[in-house]
Amino acid sequence: DGQLTECYQATGKAPIGIWWIDIHRGDDINPEYRSRLFAQEIKRDRSLELFAATPPLEALKILLSRAVTEGVGYTTGNKRTGMKIDFIDVRRAYFHAHSKRRVFIKLPAEDDRPGCCGELCKAMYGTRDAAQNWEAAYTKFLNEAQFNRGEGSPCVFHNTGRKITIVVHGDDFTVLGHEKDLNWFREEIVKRFEVKFKARLGPEDR
């Protein structure tokens, strides 16, 4: 029972409970089932700083406004070469973030053994600081890609050299830039995270 003993020595508590959640996001024609293991960390630990930022609605409004503003999103008389907006979703975002504290969980029934528990290496859905850990992970990635974090909102980032602006809300990235720069960012983000490119909105050559 070494693992269980280590849990009590490190935290003074039993391992955190877990449960499976099954989600169906599709329909009868296009089924899309997802199963995710959640931690049941309910009690508040007052020693934890749990704040994780979310962008104001105005941040997204400004991004959309810039895209369609003459002289900003496109040059006068040449809308077709203007800026576009990418919508990118990071899959299983929290699992890309490192756990910053020692967190022990019970094992699923199919893997459970007497005296054993699990210690998280990555953030897990249901732990109280998972969102904060994910914020640190995507901020580190964007800083390494030469993005500066906004002063008005920590969820807004700008790359001056490539003129790309990003608003991050949870695991959703809304990205404004010219097509060649959006393509560059797609190449960069897939190096770090597993993503889904939802759509690209903007002018097209005809």
Side-chain angles (χ1 to χ4, degrees), residues 51-168:
F51 176 78
T54 56
L57 180 59
E58 287 76 13
L60 183 58
K61 288 182 176 179
I62 291 173
L63 207 67
L64 297 173
S65 177
R66 290 183 61 196
V68 297
T69 298
E70 186 175 16
V72 180
Y74 65 94
T75 56
T76 303
N78 194 8
K79 290 184 178 181
R80 292 183 180 178
T81 60
M83 288 185 170
K84 299 182 180 183
I85 297 177
D86 253 359
F87 298 92
I88 303 173
D89 172 54
V90 177
R91 295 178 179 269
R92 294 176 285 276
Y94 290 175
F95 296 145
H96 293 287
H98 292 284
S99 181
K100 293 186 176 182
R101 60 192 172 99
R102 300 195 72 182
V103 180
F104 295 84
I105 61 168
K106 294 181 179 180
L107 296 174
E110 57 269 27
D111 295 320
D112 196 16
R113 299 188 304 276
C116 292
C117 62
E119 182 176 0
L120 299 182
C121 296
K122 300 286 188 175
M124 184 176 187
Y125 288 86
T127 54
R128 296 187 61 81
D129 57 347
Q132 185 183 68
N133 293 341
W134 164 237
E135 181 181 337
Y138 74 69
T139 298
K140 182 176 184 293
F141 156 67
L142 290 172
N143 286 341
E144 290 173 352
Q146 305 303 310
F147 283 84
N148 296 315
R149 199 172 193 178
E151 295 182 4
S153 170
C155 299
V156 179
F157 297 81
H158 185 71
N159 184 310
T160 303
R162 292 184 177 272
K163 297 182 180 178
I164 302 175
T165 303
I166 300 176
V167 175
V168 184

